[in-house]
């Protein structure tokens, strides 16, 4: 007889609360059998599971190539030099986590999670790969000029990233692009150590102060180009340049008609946010001619949109812009640069597809080849000298260079086991149910005995809803309701209709570290960084620490609504978010006053672990988060100390409170030895 049919009704003992230990009869198989677990997620790990199967399951060979792989220990490893990385040069992310989080007394850095791992070697390889792709396209097509890129600092303004770009890009005349006064100051400072030929492209809306800064940069021999986003900016450029006595180099941003239909295509087309129409471009050119400044006009800029999905769309847009470039040359402008903007996409989901914003259907070589051929074709047809090709490929440069590592601290059970304090026997509560609820229960048992799965489900749902209504009316106790829930959950499990997806609680703020997921639905690869030599046995979603229902990750690459995960069995369980090096840090907020992560900068080395930590920065403390919202931690500490003294709370309380201001807002699994000893001294123990 099926397990549920074995539950016999019995007279309950006197009293309101039962003494059931919460143990339902051991579930047997329903007639017809229990449905099998989904492919790739099973509680039983077959002996033939391999790291290759994990790489395939999580698409690591798709989105991760050539920088991330699964090593023989089942950990995610970084290949800092791409495909040219030797086995002894691979960096095991679990070893990085251990180095970063181990206490200082054990040779670690004593940092707390979450942890952002920066990989400058990967950034260098990305920049060199982009340059080499254009160099190859130029050579193979016989193009008559060169490629000279810039990094748009808005993608990630971190000091070390920008300085790395300038250093790594110096042999290629690689420059920077700024879109605000603060970014312009940053770019000016960094480019003093870069190539003297590197471009400093000044985009964004401009006032007199912005333009004056750009002209100051030009007076300091920085290769500065002021790109007009609006027609009226020309008057300010002319007036300011005459006042300062600095002749400007001017560019125009064109509103081209080519656009793509995805989320990132909204910045292009005639209705785009930025740029000049064809009529405005002609107006600017004629005004410069009247002012005898047409030789100042040297660059044409346009932007189709981020994550351009196909090279055919790219070629169409570049061809249209090249026509405008040639027309400006015909009108007498001293044109020499075509700036194709951003748009070089990356493959977030590993599909190498043009079907969504999460992937692109081309690689670096195909992208560069399409650009070079489109410019070359138009210029040759118009008998115009080939221009320098500039691009602002920020997302493609910096997305791979950082990995966000965070911990899953707990997960909810598929079915909560009833507590021993609920009631002694599930059968004993039956006689206390109302007649209609007891009838539902008896019908449920009868259907279970007959093996009628659908009828079982109907009566289980009916019993549960009826008892909820009685509970709301005050007729049933909490213990009654918990017992009914337990039986109905068991029915759902036996029928195979129970929700198999667990919620994993992660030590992270989605709003601080993955804002694009919440804001625009951007998907990032999220993968366990260890245990990949074992088959995952759970399907899960991720819930962050914030008090916000949007603080969860319930959509994953590949169109999945859950992520294959491993059981949390006492030890730490680490996950990594990959390809998030662009935009996330600058866009991250302070929801619930959770700040950013701790940061380590990790370079490949010949040491025993193949890496060296060249920079370690603790994450923002509670005091830092409070200061960002105009609070004064010092005054707060003083006020709380005064209240503790008034209440005779003892010296330990203000000491502990003061220490709390210096801690990160995130959870701590266990205090480090040094911190524990310090706290004990603080408490006088």
């Amino acid at each position: 007889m099926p397990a549920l049919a074995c539950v016999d009704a019995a007279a309950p003992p006197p009293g309101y609360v039962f003494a059931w230990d919460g143990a339902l009869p051991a579930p047997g198989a329903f007639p017809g059998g229990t449905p099998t677990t989904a492919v790739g997620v099973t509680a039983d790990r077959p002996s033939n599971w391999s790291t290759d199967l994990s790489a395939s399951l999580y698409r690591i060979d798709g989105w991760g190539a050539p920088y991330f792989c699964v090593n023989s220990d089942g950990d995610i490893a970084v290949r800092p030099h791409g495909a040219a990385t030797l086995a002894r040069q691979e960096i095991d992310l679990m070893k990085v986590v251990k180095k970063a989080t181990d206490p200082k007394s054990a040779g670690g850095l004593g940092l707390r999670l979450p942890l952002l791992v920066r990989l400058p070697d990967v950034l260098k390889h990305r920049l060199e790969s982009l340059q080499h792709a254009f160099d190859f396209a130029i050579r193979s097509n016989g193009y008559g000029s060169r490629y000279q890129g810039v990094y748009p600092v808005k993608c990630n303004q971190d000091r070390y990233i920008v300085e790395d770009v300038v250093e790594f890009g110096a042999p290629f005349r690689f420059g920077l692009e700024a879109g605000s006064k603060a970014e312009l100051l940053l770019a000016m400072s960094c480019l003093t150590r870069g190539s003297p030929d590197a471009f400093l492209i000044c985009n964004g809306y401009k006032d007199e102060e912005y333009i004056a800064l750009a002209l100051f940069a030009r007076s300091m021999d920085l290769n500065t180009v002021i790109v007009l986003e609006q027609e009226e900016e020309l008057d300010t450029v002319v007036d300011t340049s005459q006042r300062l006595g600095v002749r400007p180099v001017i560019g125009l941003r064109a509103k081209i008609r080519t656009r793509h239909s995805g989320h990132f295509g909204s910045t292009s087309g005639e209705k785009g946010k930025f740029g000049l129409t064809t009529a405005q471009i002609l107006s600017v050119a004629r005004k410069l001619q009247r002012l005898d400044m047409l030789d100042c006009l040297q660059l044409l800029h346009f932007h189709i949109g981020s994550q351009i999905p196909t090279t055919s769309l790219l070629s169409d847009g570049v061809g249209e812009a090249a026509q405008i470039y040639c027309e400006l040359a015909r009108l007498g402008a001293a044109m020499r640069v075509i700036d194709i903007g951003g748009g070089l996409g990356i493959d977030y989901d590993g599909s190498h597809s043009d079907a969504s914003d999460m992937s692109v259907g081309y690689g670096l070589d195909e992208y560069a080849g399409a650009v070079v051929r489109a410019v070359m074709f138009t210029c040759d047809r118009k008998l115009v000298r080939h221009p320098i090709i500039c691009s602002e490929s920020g997302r493609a440069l910096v997305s791979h260079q950082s990995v966000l590592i965070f911990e899953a601290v707990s997960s909810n059970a598929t079915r909560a086991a009833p507590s021993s304090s609920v009631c002694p026997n599930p059968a004993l509560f039956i006689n206390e149910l109302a007649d209609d609820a007891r009838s539902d229960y008896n019908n449920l048992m009868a259907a279970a005995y007959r093996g009628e799965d659908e009828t079982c489900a109907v009566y289980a749902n009916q019993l549960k809803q009826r008892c909820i209504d009685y509970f709301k009316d005050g007729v049933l106790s909490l213990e009654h309701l918990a017992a009914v829930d337990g039986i109905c959950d068991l029915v759902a499990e036996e029928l195979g209709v129970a929700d198999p997806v667990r919620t994993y609680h992660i030590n992270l703020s989605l709003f601080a570290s993955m804002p694009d997921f919440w804001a625009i639905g951007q998907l990032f690869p999220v993968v366990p960084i260890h245990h990949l030599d074992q088959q995952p046995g759970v399907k899960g979603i991720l819930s962050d620490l914030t008090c916000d229902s949007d603080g969860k990750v319930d959509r994953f690459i590949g169109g999945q609504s859950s992520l294959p995960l491993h059981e949390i069995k006492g030890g730490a369980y680490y996950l990594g978010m990959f390809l998030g090096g662009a935009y996330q840090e600058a866009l991250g907020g302070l929801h619930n006053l959770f700040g950013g992560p701790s940061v380590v900068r990790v370079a490949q080395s010949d040491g025993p672990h193949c890496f060296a930590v060249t920079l370690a920065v603790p994450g923002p403390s509670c005091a830092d988060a409070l200061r960002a919202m105009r609070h004064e931690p010092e005054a707060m500490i003083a006020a709380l100390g005064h209240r503790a003294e008034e209440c005779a709370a003892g010296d330990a309380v203000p000491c502990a409170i003061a220490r709390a201001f210096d801690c990160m807002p995130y959870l701590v699994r266990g205090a480090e030895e040094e911190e524990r000893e310090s706290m004990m001294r603080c408490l006088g123990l």
Side-chain angles (χ1 to χ4, degrees):
M1 183 180 297
L4 291 178
C6 297
V7 182
D8 298 321
Y16 188 72
V17 180
F18 301 116
W20 174 38
D21 66 0
L24 287 171
F30 266 33
T34 303
T36 57
T37 312
V39 175
V41 180
T42 175
D44 298 318
R45 294 175 182 146
S47 58
N48 62 348
W49 190 259
S50 69
T51 56
D52 288 340
L53 290 174
S54 284
S56 175
L57 178 64
Y58 294 107
R59 299 187 173 201
I60 296 170
D61 293 337
W63 57 261
Y67 301 110
F68 303 103
C69 64
V70 183
N71 65 21
S72 58
D73 292 330
D75 301 337
I76 296 283
V78 180
R79 307 179 73 196
H81 311 300
T85 305
L86 302 176
R88 59 180 173 80
Q89 295 174 322
E90 291 183 358
I91 300 171
D92 189 321
L93 284 178
M94 280 300 296
K95 293 179 180 177
V96 174
V97 171
K98 178 175 173 54
K99 175 66 177 177
T101 60
D102 272 358
K104 295 178 181 178
S105 60
L109 300 172
L111 298 178
R112 291 184 176 180
L113 294 179
L115 179 70
L116 190 69
V117 181
R118 294 204 193 282
L119 303 162
D121 295 312
V122 171
L123 175 59
K124 184 174 189 287
H125 188 270
R126 289 296 292 174
L127 191 152
E128 291 175 346
S129 297
L130 176 62
Q131 183 70 42
H132 294 159
F134 270 100
D135 288 346
F136 176 78
I138 286 168
R139 288 194 308 271
S140 59
N141 287 281
Y143 190 78
S145 189
R146 66 176 185 268
Y147 168 74
Q148 191 173 328
V150 296
Y151 168 62
V153 298
K154 67 179 181 181
C155 289
N156 195 321
Q157 299 98 335
D158 178 79
R159 169 190 169 184
Y160 296 99
I161 290 176
V162 180
E163 289 179 353
D164 282 346
V165 168
V166 172
E167 177 186 349
F168 300 154
F172 313 116
R173 309 183 184 92
F174 216 88
L176 299 174
E177 179 268 348
S180 69
K181 297 173 193 175
E183 289 184 349
L184 178 54
L185 290 167
L186 181 161
M188 290 168 61
S189 174
C190 289
L191 283 175
T192 59
R193 299 182 294 279
S195 167
D197 297 323
F199 289 131
L200 172 51
I201 303 293
C202 300
N203 288 332
Y205 294 130
K206 304 170 189 69
D207 60 8
E208 185 176 350
E209 283 186 350
Y210 186 131
I211 291 167
L213 283 173
L215 292 170
F216 292 152
R218 184 141 196 92
S219 71
M220 293 185 288
D221 292 333
L222 296 176
N223 194 4
T224 311
V225 182
I226 301 173
V227 179
L228 304 181
E229 303 276 2
Q230 298 175 298
E231 183 179 3
E232 52 266 33
E233 289 176 353
L234 177 61
D235 292 334
T236 309
V237 171
V238 171
D239 292 345
T240 307
S241 65
Q242 290 176 347
R243 177 171 58 83
L244 297 177
V246 180
R247 196 165 180 83
V249 173
I250 298 172
L252 299 175
R253 177 166 180 168
K255 281 186 178 179
I256 64 171
R257 317 298 173 91
T258 304
R259 59 172 298 176
H260 71 81
S261 57
H263 168 82
F264 297 109
S266 60
T267 54
S268 60
E270 291 182 277
K271 303 296 184 181
K273 179 179 178 181
F274 302 104
L276 281 64
T277 64
T278 52
Q280 291 172 325
I281 290 172
L282 282 172
S283 175
V284 167
R286 288 167 179 162
K287 184 166 187 176
L288 287 172
Q289 188 175 34
R290 290 195 301 271
L291 294 169
D292 196 25
M293 294 179 66
L294 196 54
D295 62 306
C296 295
L297 181 54
Q298 299 181 17
L299 178 146
L300 179 75
H301 171 46
F302 70 97
H303 181 62
I304 299 174
S306 293
Q307 286 288 106
I308 297 172
T310 65
T311 54
S312 59
L313 177 65
L314 174 67
S315 297
D316 192 25
V318 173
E320 179 187 348
Q323 291 285 358
I324 299 173
Y325 178 94
C326 291
E327 287 298 299
L328 288 171
R330 179 182 62 81
L331 293 173
M335 302 300 291
R336 67 186 188 96
V337 182
I338 185 167
D339 180 351
I340 65 173
L344 172 56
I346 62 171
D347 192 356
Y348 286 104
D349 65 12
S351 66
H352 201 66
S353 164
D354 57 14
S356 76
D357 290 335
M358 304 306 153
S359 185
V360 291
Y362 55 82
L364 290 179
D365 290 335
E366 296 163 285
Y367 176 87
V371 170
V372 168
R373 287 190 295 272
V375 175
M376 185 175 178
F377 174 80
T378 301
C379 290
D380 287 349
R381 190 172 59 178
K382 293 287 189 176
L383 301 178
V384 172
R385 185 176 61 183
H386 296 169
I388 296 171
I389 296 174
C390 177
S391 77
E392 303 176 5
S393 303
R395 184 188 300 269
L397 277 181
V398 300
S399 290
H400 299 76
Q401 58 77 39
S402 69
V403 179
L404 177 68
I405 297 174
F406 51 95
E407 185 181 8
V409 294
S410 64
S411 72
N412 66 338
T414 314
R415 175 176 65 90
S419 168
S420 59
S421 63
V422 178
C423 56
N425 190 322
L428 298 182
F429 81 93
I430 298 300
N431 286 340
E432 287 199 353
L433 294 178
D435 290 344
D436 50 2
R438 191 163 58 248
S439 176
D440 288 336
Y441 177 84
N442 291 332
N443 289 332
L444 169 62
M445 294 301 104
Y449 181 78
R450 295 191 301 268
E452 298 173 355
D453 292 0
E454 292 185 7
T455 305
C456 261
V458 170
Y459 283 120
N461 290 334
Q462 193 166 298
L463 172 63
K464 192 169 188 176
Q465 187 56 53
R466 200 184 303 275
C467 289
I468 290 172
D469 292 338
Y470 281 135
F471 178 75
K472 290 178 179 178
D473 290 338
V475 176
L476 287 184
S477 70
L478 188 62
E479 290 83 359
H480 283 87
L481 189 62
V484 170
D485 286 342
I487 288 179
C488 292
D489 287 346
L490 178 57
V491 170
E493 282 191 4
E494 289 290 334
L495 294 176
V497 296
D499 184 4
V501 178
R502 297 190 194 179
T503 298
Y504 275 54
H505 305 286
I506 56 175
N507 193 15
L508 187 74
S509 165
L510 191 72
F511 305 93
S513 297
M514 296 175 62
D516 270 350
F517 177 85
W518 165 72
I520 62 173
Q522 175 69 51
L523 301 184
F524 299 95
V526 177
V527 182
I529 66 167
H530 58 154
H531 299 315
L532 297 177
D533 54 347
Q534 305 167 24
Q535 185 170 6
V538 179
K539 291 194 293 184
I541 62 172
L542 309 178
S543 178
D544 78 352
L545 295 179
T546 64
C547 302
D548 196 304
S549 59
D550 285 334
K552 62 182 178 181
V553 183
D554 55 2
R555 287 171 288 116
F556 303 90
I557 63 171
Q560 301 301 308
S561 58
S562 63
L563 182 69
L565 296 168
H566 305 85
E567 295 278 4
I568 301 177
K569 294 184 175 180
Y573 188 55
Y574 298 109
L575 301 166
M577 184 198 80
F578 296 79
L579 309 187
Y583 297 108
Q584 303 316 294
E585 293 168 60
L587 294 176
L590 280 172
H591 194 10
N592 276 152
L593 294 184
F594 286 109
S598 301
V599 179
V600 290
R601 178 179 160 94
V602 176
Q604 188 268 318
S605 74
D606 296 327
H609 297 307
C610 306
F611 70 88
V613 176
T614 60
L615 179 72
V617 182
S621 65
C622 292
D624 295 329
L626 288 163
R627 287 190 188 96
M629 302 304 292
R630 310 290 195 280
H631 295 280
E632 299 179 4
E634 294 77 14
M636 298 165 73
I637 292 171
L640 291 169
H642 182 64
R643 172 56 64 91
E645 183 178 351
E646 288 180 336
C647 297
D651 295 339
V653 171
C655 178
I657 289 174
R659 284 182 53 80
F661 276 86
D662 292 332
C663 295
M664 286 179 69
Y666 293 95
L667 305 183
V668 182
R669 281 182 58 88
E672 295 180 11
E673 183 178 347
E674 293 96 331
E675 291 187 354
R676 186 181 297 109
E677 290 178 355
S678 177
M679 179 61 74
M680 296 293 279
R681 288 195 299 270
C682 183
L683 295 173
L685 300 175

